[in-house]
Amino acid sequence: MVVPLQNTIRDYAWGSPTSLPELLGVQPDGEPQAELWMGAHESAPSVLPNGDTLYDVVSADPAAVLGEETTERFEGRFPFLAKLLAAAQPLSIQAHPSRDQAIDGYARDEAAGIPLDAADRNYKDAWPKPEILIALEPFDALVGFRPLASTVALLDALGPAGFGELTDLLRDGKLREAFTDFMSRDRDAIRPLVAALGFAIDTYTGDAFALERETMSRLCADFPDDPGVLAALLLNRVRLQRFDAVYLPAGNVHAYLRGLGFEVMANSDNVLRGGLTSKHVDVPELVSVVDFEPLTDPVLTATTVADGVATYETGCEYFAVHRVDLTSGEHTLDGAGPRIVCCVDGTVDAASKESAVTLSAGQSAFASGTEGPCTLRGSGTAFVVSAR
């Protein structure tokens, strides 16, 4: 059966009061609406038409929902989580662990007796969190470390702002040392550096690095004593256009800044934060999972695989993401394992042999791992997420 999902909206403070309501066609209530979750994560599972949560149904009989192969591969856990994400303010600078790092970190937190809901707990589960963010409108983000020569050029352009030591470290290829140094300083030591950076940016008269200067000026004003501002200096600043994407494997340092997007990740809530947040920050643990290899080209575009169908090639073992643009006719997508269909524009019918669901923008449906092919019809755009 293909069934509609009732999903939870998370009201994190950085969320937009208007983006999700506008997509869903409902009246905003003035409160931030940050993420709409689709899936079976235990903290905010989708609800099925009979009132059961997808998490409870999967827990009761994984093979009947996920299929035998997916159940075996992922130990009975729903493999992915999909979200609509609407950011009006920057999210924290963060990275996510690999599977081995998550297993080890979760075991350490459990052995230390740290409650799962404790503010200072690093690992909520024993799973990694690779993720992809696909823009639904122009979307700003910091993604991966910028090539060192480009960061040195940015610092040189800004002139003397108290960053000579940083520039020297980067020229010597010591990115890990530079990142760790800044992230480890206390707020009293950070404040004059952020002030100097803000002054240098605001008095710069050149034409280069416009997006970087726009972001850094805002961060300096909003986070005057946060080491994450200085870490942001080291990251690629990207502006995604509609349906452009960024893929964030384990260890990628990133921060979403502003915009509306469709996000898919492995079914985990493990986040190691480094700044731009009032939440728990553990710099040594963050550094232990970070990939310090610079990222030359962080933007991912979809590959057309059929008329109206495009796929985002990530190599991720937990999920596959297709975009289906319907103008007329229909598209049938084969799929093994569970699938979630999310409409982001227009109207889309998702149908199996036994049932069909009509979705408008922001709505989603679920097809079990034993359902077989799913056919989409209508006039709109939908994302189809399936297990690998």
Side-chain angles (χ1 to χ4, degrees):
M1 299 285 286
V2 176
V3 296
L5 295 175
Q6 180 180 336
N7 303 305
T8 298
I9 292 178
R10 313 307 295 266
D11 58 352
Y12 306 134
W14 49 262
S16 167
T18 57
S19 293
L20 283 178
E22 288 175 358
L23 181 69
L24 293 165
V26 300
Q27 187 69 26
D29 62 7
E31 297 299 317
Q33 297 187 19
E35 295 179 344
L36 184 150
W37 286 28
M38 295 163 273
H41 194 278
E42 48 266 42
S43 64
S46 298
V47 179
L48 302 173
N50 65 1
D52 293 337
T53 72
L54 193 52
Y55 174 78
D56 287 338
V57 170
V58 172
S59 299
D61 191 352
V65 183
L66 306 179
E68 294 286 353
E69 181 180 348
T70 302
T71 297
E72 182 176 352
R73 286 186 62 206
F74 300 108
E75 302 173 18
R77 185 175 179 83
F78 200 97
F80 61 82
L81 174 65
K83 300 178 181 179
L84 290 167
L85 181 148
Q89 302 293 331
L91 282 68
S92 61
I93 286 184
Q94 59 189 257
H96 309 301
S98 68
R99 174 73 159 130
D100 288 344
Q101 291 165 341
I103 290 172
D104 180 65
Y106 182 78
R108 283 188 276 113
D109 282 358
E110 287 288 281
I114 305 173
L116 269 176
D117 59 354
D120 61 345
R121 177 153 179 155
N122 287 322
Y123 295 90
K124 307 295 186 182
D125 51 63
W127 292 87
K129 194 185 175 189
E131 61 187 57
I132 185 173
L133 186 286
I134 304 168
L136 299 180
E137 64 181 26
F139 194 103
D140 292 336
L142 299 167
V143 184
F145 290 107
R146 186 190 300 108
L148 299 189
S150 181
T151 300
V152 169
L154 169 61
L155 292 169
D156 285 345
L158 293 176
F163 294 99
E165 181 182 356
L166 171 62
T167 305
D168 290 342
L169 286 172
L170 296 179
R171 283 198 175 100
D172 291 339
K174 297 180 179 179
L175 177 57
R176 176 188 288 269
E177 290 84 349
F179 180 83
T180 304
D181 177 31
F182 275 150
M183 300 307 290
S184 301
R185 296 189 188 189
D186 63 31
R187 292 183 180 272
D188 288 339
I190 288 297
R191 193 175 293 111
L193 290 175
V194 173
L197 176 62
F199 179 78
I201 289 169
D202 292 341
T203 55
Y204 176 78
T205 58
D207 296 326
F209 300 104
L211 286 179
E212 287 83 355
R213 291 187 288 109
E214 171 191 311
T215 294
M216 297 310 302
S217 179
R218 179 185 177 193
L219 294 181
C220 287
D222 291 348
F223 301 92
D225 58 0
D226 193 315
V229 175
L230 305 181
L233 265 176
L234 305 173
L235 303 179
N236 289 297
R237 168 65 164 83
V238 299
R239 174 164 290 166
L240 304 176
Q241 299 305 315
R242 182 169 171 85
F243 298 148
D244 284 345
V246 288
Y247 176 60
L248 310 168
N252 181 293
V253 180
H254 60 279
Y256 299 144
L257 299 173
R258 180 186 292 271
L260 176 67
F262 181 73
E263 187 180 27
V264 184
M265 62 198 64
N267 191 15
S268 170
D269 199 24
N270 283 326
V271 180
L272 296 166
R273 299 178 179 87
L276 310 185
T277 182
S278 59
K279 293 183 178 180
H280 175 59
V281 171
D282 185 334
V283 172
E285 192 64 32
L286 171 67
V287 170
S288 75
V289 308
V290 166
D291 180 358
F292 285 96
E293 184 68 27
L295 185 60
T296 301
D297 185 9
V299 178
L300 174 67
T301 56
T303 301
T304 300
V305 295
D307 183 28
V309 181
T311 187
Y312 292 85
E313 298 288 355
T314 65
C316 179
E317 64 179 296
Y318 293 90
F319 56 77
V321 184
H322 288 82
R323 188 184 77 241
V324 181
D325 299 305
L326 293 162
T327 55
S328 61
E330 63 182 39
H331 292 283
T332 299
L333 294 176
D334 294 329
R339 281 146 291 166
I340 287 177
V341 179
C342 179
C343 177
V344 295
D345 183 57
T347 301
V348 172
D349 293 333
S352 66
K353 292 181 179 179
E354 299 181 3
S355 61
V357 175
T358 299
L359 304 174
S360 57
Q363 296 180 334
S364 59
F366 170 71
S368 73
T370 59
E371 188 60 40
C374 181
T375 299
L376 302 184
R377 304 181 182 91
S379 181
T381 299
F383 288 100
V384 180
V385 187
S386 59
R388 280 285 188 185

